Amino acid sequence: MPQSTLASVSNSTAVHADAPSIWLLAWRRFRRHKAGLVGLVVVLIEIAIAISAPVLIPRDLAIDPNPLNILERPSAAHWLGTDEVGRDIFARLIYASRISLSIGFLAVAMAILVGTSVGSLAGYFGGWLDNVLMRVTDAMLSIPTLFFLIVLSVTLGPSVRTMVIVIGLLSWMELARIIRANVLSLKRREFVEAAQTIGARAPTVIMRHILPNTLAPIVVAATLGVGNALLVEASVSYLGLGVQPPDPSWGNMLYNAQSYVFNAPWITLYPGLMILVTVLSINFVGDGLRDALDPRMKDR
Amino acid sequence: MGQYVARRLLQAIPLLFLISVISFMLIRLSGDPMSMYGQSSALTAEDRDRIMAQHGWDKPKPIQYLFWLRDLARGDLGSSLYTYQPVTQMIWEKLPNTLILMGTVFVVTIVVSIPLAIVSALRQYSTLDYLITGASFFAFALPTFWLGLVCIMIFSVKFKEWGLPYMPAGGMYDLVEGPSLPGLVKHLVMPALVLSVVSMASYIRYLRASMLEVLRDDYIRTARAKGLPELAVTWRHAFRNALIPLVTLITMNIPLIFSGALITEQVFAWPGMGRLFVDHANRGDYPVLMGLVLTVSVLVIFFNLVADIAYAAIDPRIRFQ
C-alpha cells in the first residue's frame, strides 16, 4: 500500500510538472491570432532566405555593376529588373535583407540592454538616481531622434555597425519607462522582499527575481521595436547617410530611386514593398504577442 | 491656472538645459570639426592651430559648451562653416516653411482621425471597423519616404502621362508663376497628405482604444439607464472623455512629425528645416546642425507646453496633480 501511495504522489507531481508553463499557454493564445501567425511565418521565411542567400543566388549579381543591363525591365532573366548600374534588384533585395534584418534585430538588442538597465536602476533604487535617469529619458523623448541619428551616423562614419549602435542608443526610452513602472510595483511584492531578507544583493534581486517577471512587456516592446528600427534604418539609408553602397540595404536601394521614378519605377517599388511587408509582419507578431502575453492589454 | 502655467514653464527650463547638454555632447564630442579640412596640404600646422583657436576648439569641451551657451543667450548660434551665414538667419528663413507643412499635417491628422476613431469604436467589429483598423495598421508600417515616392510616381508622373491634372513633384511654388497662395496649396497637398497618413495611424489606434474603454465605464451605463438618447450618450458623455488622451497623443506625436518632416521635405524638395539639416549633415557643419537640433527641441517643448496648458484649461483635474 505505501508503495502505491508513493506512486500516486510521484504521479501527481509529474502531472504538476507537465502543467503548461506560461510560455506554452502564451503560445496557445498566440496561435489563435491569425495575423500574428501569418506574420511570424513571413518573418521566419525571410530570415531563412537571408541566412541561405549565398546558396540561393550569387553575390556578384547584387554587388557588381553590369553596364550591359542598365535599367532593364522585370523579365525572366531579371525577375524584378535591374537598377541604374545594372545590378539585379531581386538579388539585391535578398542580400539587403541580410543587412537590414541584422540592423533591425541588433539595434533592438542594444535598445533592450540600455532600456532595461535604465528602467530597472531607476525603478529599483529610486531617489536621485531615478530622478536623473528619468529626466534624461524625458529629454530624449522630446528630441526628434532622427536629427540626432543623422548627426551621429555622419560623425561616427556611416556603416552597418554605426546604424546598430545609433538606432539602439536612440530607441530605448519607451522601454525604460515601461520597465521602471513594472519594477516599481514588483519591488514591493513579498517574493522580492523575501529575497532581500535572506541577503540577496541588488543585482541578484533585479536579475533573478524582478526582471523575469517583467519579461512579457519587454518581449512585446522589442518585437514592435524591430519594425521601427527597420523603418528608421530605411529612412537614414534612403538619405544616403546610413548603410553605404555597394552593400545593399532596403533603404539605400531607394537612395537614387527618385531620379528614376519617371522611367524605371521598379527600382522604387520593390524595396519599399519589402520594407512594408516585413514591418507589417513584425508588427502583427508584436500584436499577437501582446494579446498572448498580456490578455489585459487586449483591445488597446 | 496662472500657478499651473508658471510651474510648467519652470519645469521646461531644466529640460531645455538637459537637451542642450545632450545635443552638445552628441554632436561635438563625437566628431572632429577639423576633419572637414581633410588632409589638405595647403594648411600648415600653424594654420590648423589658428583655425582651432578662432573657433575656440582648442579649449576643453566643457568650456566650449559654456561659450556656446553664452553666445546662445545673446541669440547667436554661430555661423555656418561653409556658407559663413549666421545660423539664426539660415534657420529663420526655413522655419516658416516647415511650420506651414507641420501645421497642415497637424490639422489634417486631427480632423480626419478623430471621427474615424470614434466611428470605428462605436461600430466595433463591423466591416467599417476592420477597414479602419486594418488601414491604420498598414499605414503604421509604411516607410514615409517610399509612400512619397510612390505618390510622385502616380500623381505626378503617371497622371501627366495619362493627360489628367497632375500634381507638382516637388518644391513649394511654381518656378514660373512665382510665389502665390494657389501655387503653395497645390505643392503642399502631397507632402502634407503623405506625412499625415503615418501620424493618423497612431491617433486612430489610441483614440479608438480610449473610446472603447470609456464606453465600458459605469457612467455610460448610468446615462443609458436613465433613458438618455444614444446620441447624447455618445457625444455628451463618451466622446468628451475619450478625447482626454488626445493631449498625451499630441505630445508624443510632435517629435515624430518633426522627424517625418525631415524625410518628407527631402522627398518633395520642400525648402524647410529638415532639408537644410540633411544638406549640412553631409558636410559636418556643426553650428548649423546644433542650431537646428536646438530649435526643433525648443519647438517641441513649446508645443507640448501649449498642449498641456490647453489640457489643464479643459480638464481642471490636471491642474492639481
Side-chain angles (χ1 to χ4, degrees), chain B residues 151-194:
Chain B
C151 282
I152 291 178
M153 220 149 80
I154 297 172
F155 299 113
S156 303
V157 181
K158 289 292 168 198
F159 271 40
K160 195 175 180 181
E161 273 177 29
W162 297 333
L164 292 166
Y166 57 93
M167 301 303 289
M172 199 169 161
Y173 296 110
D174 195 295
L175 290 176
V176 184
E177 287 169 17
S180 69
L181 190 62
L184 174 68
V185 172
K186 210 173 158 191
H187 284 76
L188 186 59
V189 172
M190 273 210 299
L193 280 184
V194 164

Side-chain angles (χ1 to χ4, degrees), chain B residues 52-294:
Chain B
M52 295 279 280
Q54 209 174 32
H55 290 97
W57 292 335
D58 53 344
K59 305 269 188 322
K61 293 279 156 59
I63 304 288
Q64 287 188 33
Y65 171 71
L66 289 179
F67 276 137
W68 181 76
L69 214 57
R70 183 199 61 193
D71 291 344
L72 180 68
R74 297 175 182 156
D76 175 11
L77 287 166
S79 13
S80 162
L81 300 178
Y82 284 86
T83 63
Y84 304 108
Q85 265 181 300
V87 172
T88 35
Q89 187 198 330
M90 292 168 81
I91 294 178
W92 202 243
E93 281 168 10
K94 306 291 182 190
L95 183 66
N97 300 346
T98 295
L99 291 181
I100 290 175
L101 178 61
M102 289 191 47
T104 315
V105 169
F106 183 73
V107 173
V108 170
T109 306
I110 300 250
V111 168
V112 176
S113 57
I114 292 180
L116 286 183
I118 300 299
V119 169
S120 195
L122 287 178
R123 309 252 149 86
Q124 198 187 5
Y125 302 133
S126 68
T127 318
L128 190 65
D129 178 36
Y130 279 120
L131 222 63
I132 293 173
T133 41
S136 65
F137 225 96
F138 197 73
F140 218 65
L142 268 175
T144 327
F145 61 98
W146 183 71
L147 182 63
L149 291 176
V150 171
C151 282
I152 291 178
M153 220 149 80
I154 297 172
F155 299 113
S156 303
V157 181
K158 289 292 168 198
F159 271 40
K160 195 175 180 181
E161 273 177 29
W162 297 333
L164 292 166
Y166 57 93
M167 301 303 289
M172 199 169 161
Y173 296 110
D174 195 295
L175 290 176
V176 184
E177 287 169 17
S180 69
L181 190 62
L184 174 68
V185 172
K186 210 173 158 191
H187 284 76
L188 186 59
V189 172
M190 273 210 299
L193 280 184
V194 164
L195 198 46
S196 307
V197 163
V198 181
S199 55
M200 268 181 224
S202 55
Y203 274 73
I204 290 177
R205 281 181 76 178
Y206 280 98
L207 286 178
R208 175 179 175 274
S210 159
M211 184 73 177
L212 284 175
E213 210 162 285
V214 168
L215 284 173
R216 280 186 216 126
D217 271 342
D218 289 341
Y219 58 84
I220 297 297
R221 197 181 323 139
T222 311
R224 287 211 177 103
K226 72 181 182 186
L228 281 185
E230 198 55 28
L231 221 63
V233 175
T234 311
W235 294 108
R236 295 256 313 272
H237 296 264
F239 176 67
R240 290 171 57 172
N241 284 298
L243 285 191
I244 290 176
L246 191 63
V247 176
T248 322
L249 210 55
I250 292 173
T251 316
M252 284 191 327
N253 200 245
I254 287 175
L256 290 180
I257 305 188
F258 267 107
S259 292
L262 190 150
I263 297 281
T264 314
E265 285 179 6
Q266 197 66 21
V267 176
F268 291 98
W270 187 263
M273 296 197 295
R275 204 167 155 77
L276 183 69
F277 186 82
V278 175
D279 285 347
H280 289 263
N282 275 314
R283 311 163 171 167
D285 195 346
Y286 297 104
V288 178
L289 301 184
M290 285 221 47
L292 279 168
V293 168
L294 204 72

Side-chain angles (χ1 to χ4, degrees), chain A residues 135 142 144 146-148 150-151 154-155 235 238-239 241 254 258 262 268-269 272 275-276 279-280 284 299-300, chain B residues 18 23 26-27 30 125 137-138 141 143 145-146 153 157 213 259 262-263 266-267 277 281-282 286 296 300:
Chain A
R135 288 301 80 74
S142 49
L146 201 55
F147 285 78
F148 270 115
I150 288 172
V151 173
V154 170
T155 48
S235 311
Y238 159 70
L239 294 173
L241 302 167
L254 290 160
Q258 194 154 8
F262 296 93
T268 304
L269 219 50
I275 301 171
L276 177 62
V279 176
L280 201 59
F284 277 140
D299 284 328
R300 276 200 162 229
Chain B
L18 208 60
S23 54
L26 287 181
I27 294 181
S30 53
Y125 302 133
F137 225 96
F138 197 73
F145 61 98
W146 183 71
M153 220 149 80
V157 181
E213 210 162 285
S259 292
L262 190 150
I263 297 281
Q266 197 66 21
V267 176
F277 186 82
N282 275 314
Y286 297 104
V296 169
V300 169

